[in-house]
């Protein structure tokens, strides 16, 4: 009888565990938060408890910071002094910082500007080379060809009778094109196949990239020019600015130096 009683308790325990597990698996009731009533919409969003917690934490954090600053102000030493105070100042109660500008000498500053100018010139050269490579792979439609097609003939008589349209087997309208010139047989066979949507998209992307790189190249060249002028203006000798940067197309000021005899 004792054995049957233990077996019965074990079965009841298993049944209780399975039922509790089943209850956890079933989704309970969804508790919806109360929204702002329609007659109080003008007051804005109805604050929930989680919003209040965030606002309270932020308030207490600021309150604690103000308390610490207030204690520091109360217990400060009016006779406190350190040598950094001689090179700093405050404007409207705000600390400006170190006023010492003699960290680098004039020669060191000129050397750093020279290195920056060389770096910008190197980047401009990289963009220039990339533009040349892109321009070599693209056909600039509508532009005059930069190269020339030289045809060698036997004499002056053949030179006078030379017909470029007959020699290249293409109509007169296609002679000045900078891209592929179709032959008469190709034109008689039918119109040339149109570019696919993917090819047109790649072509437009390539021309857009070329335009962006040319713009970046011009910006880098202008920056290198301005840095060069600024470096020269930092050098020795009397000079006078005759044109502002805004008045110059290159975006760099123009200086006139006094003529000095070099020994």
């Amino acid at each position: 009888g004792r054995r049957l009683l233990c077996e019965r308790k074990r079965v009841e325990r298993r049944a209780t565990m399975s039922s509790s597990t089943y209850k956890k698996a079933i989704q309970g009731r969804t508790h919806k938060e109360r929204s702002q009533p329609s007659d109080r919409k003008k007051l804005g969003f109805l604050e929930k408890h989680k919003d209040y917690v965030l606002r309270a934490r932020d308030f207490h954090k600021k309150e604690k910071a103000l308390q610490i600053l207030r204690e520091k102000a109360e217990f400060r030493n009016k006779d406190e002094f350190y040598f950094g105070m001689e090179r700093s100042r405050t404007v409207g109660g705000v600390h400006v910082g170190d006023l010492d500008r003699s960290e680098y000498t004039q020669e060191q500053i000129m050397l750093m500007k020279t290195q920056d100018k060389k770096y910008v010139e190197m980047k401009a050269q990289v963009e220039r080379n990339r533009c040349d490579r892109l321009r070599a792979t693209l056909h600039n439609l509508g532009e005059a060809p930069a190269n020339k097609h030289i045809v060698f003939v036997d004499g002056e008589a053949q030179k006078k009778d030379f017909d470029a349209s007959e020699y290249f087997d293409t109509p007169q309208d296609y002679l000045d094109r900078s891209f592929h010139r179709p032959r008469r047989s190709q034109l008689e066979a039918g119109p040339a196949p149109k570019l696919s949507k993917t090819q047109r998209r790649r072509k437009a992307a390539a021309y857009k990239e070329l335009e962006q790189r040319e713009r970046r190249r011009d910006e880098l060249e202008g920056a290198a020019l301005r840095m060069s002028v600024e470096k020269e203006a930092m050098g020795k000798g009397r000079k006078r600015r005759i044109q502002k940067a805004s008045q110059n197309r290159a975006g760099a000021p123009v200086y006139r130096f006094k003529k000095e005899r070099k020994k």
Side-chain angles (χ1 to χ4, degrees):
R2 187 174 182 181
R3 185 176 181 182
L4 290 175
L5 183 62
C6 293
E7 188 69 24
R8 184 179 178 182
K9 288 183 178 180
R10 191 181 299 113
V11 171
E12 290 177 355
R13 193 182 301 113
R14 288 180 180 176
T16 306
M17 291 176 61
S18 61
S19 62
S20 63
T21 306
Y22 181 71
K23 288 180 181 178
K24 292 178 182 179
I26 297 176
Q27 186 177 4
R29 180 181 177 184
T30 304
H31 297 276
K32 297 182 179 179
E33 293 185 345
R34 176 172 173 267
S35 61
Q36 186 74 280
S38 58
D39 57 340
R40 294 173 57 87
K41 286 288 185 182
K42 60 182 179 180
L43 300 178
F45 179 73
L46 180 63
E47 187 183 50
K48 308 299 189 301
H49 178 71
K50 57 182 180 180
D51 304 319
Y52 161 74
V53 169
L54 294 175
R55 184 167 57 84
R57 286 177 182 172
D58 182 63
F59 173 77
H60 290 303
K61 180 180 177 182
K62 294 176 180 177
E63 188 180 33
K64 192 176 296 183
L66 289 174
Q67 183 180 359
I68 293 173
L69 292 174
R70 198 174 293 112
E71 290 178 357
K72 286 184 178 181
E74 289 178 357
F75 295 107
R76 76 182 188 278
N77 183 8
K78 296 183 179 179
D79 298 330
E80 181 181 3
F81 173 78
Y82 55 94
F83 289 99
M85 294 179 177
E86 296 180 350
R87 299 190 303 271
S88 61
R89 61 191 176 96
T90 57
V91 177
V94 180
H95 184 258
V96 175
D98 194 359
L99 298 178
D100 188 11
R101 298 291 188 267
S102 60
E103 185 177 358
Y104 301 103
T105 61
Q106 190 77 2
E107 290 77 11
Q108 291 174 337
I109 294 175
M110 291 183 65
L111 178 61
M112 287 188 292
K113 288 186 177 295
T114 303
Q115 293 173 350
D116 294 342
K117 174 176 170 290
K118 290 181 179 179
Y119 175 77
V120 173
E121 288 178 346
M122 183 267 293
K123 284 295 183 181
Q125 183 63 35
V126 170
E127 292 296 331
R128 199 177 298 116
N129 295 337
R130 288 177 179 174
C131 290
D132 293 340
R133 285 197 297 268
L134 269 175
R135 199 177 293 107
T137 57
L138 295 174
H139 297 294
N140 294 319
L141 303 179
E143 294 186 3
N147 53 350
K148 296 180 180 180
H149 195 138
I150 301 176
V151 179
F152 295 92
V153 294
D154 294 335
E156 289 292 334
Q158 193 174 358
K159 178 181 177 181
K160 292 180 180 179
D161 298 337
F162 179 76
D163 187 6
S165 177
E166 183 179 355
Y167 180 83
F168 292 111
D169 192 18
T170 186
Q172 192 74 22
D173 299 336
Y174 294 96
L175 288 177
D176 295 336
R177 293 180 62 171
S178 58
F179 50 99
H180 174 66
R181 290 187 294 262
R183 297 182 181 273
R184 288 192 176 94
S185 58
Q186 294 175 343
L187 294 175
E188 293 173 358
K194 297 183 179 180
L195 296 176
S196 64
K197 186 176 180 180
T198 305
Q199 290 174 336
R200 290 197 300 270
R201 186 169 62 250
R202 289 179 179 176
K203 180 180 178 182
Y207 275 105
K208 185 177 180 180
E209 181 184 0
L210 177 61
E211 182 182 359
Q212 292 175 350
R213 292 197 177 278
E214 287 179 344
R215 190 184 304 114
R216 175 173 170 79
R217 177 203 60 194
D218 297 338
E219 291 176 356
L220 289 171
E221 289 177 351
L225 177 62
R226 289 191 295 272
M227 294 173 72
S228 177
V229 172
E230 185 179 356
K231 176 179 173 295
E232 294 295 333
M234 291 176 62
K236 298 179 180 179
R238 296 179 60 183
K239 53 191 169 295
R240 183 169 60 90
R241 189 180 66 182
I242 60 176
Q243 196 173 18
K244 296 182 179 179
S246 58
Q247 299 174 349
N248 192 3
R249 182 179 298 179
V254 179
Y255 291 91
R256 177 175 294 172
F257 289 82
K258 183 181 178 181
K259 295 182 179 180
E260 294 183 359
R261 180 181 178 185
K262 303 297 182 180
K263 297 182 180 179

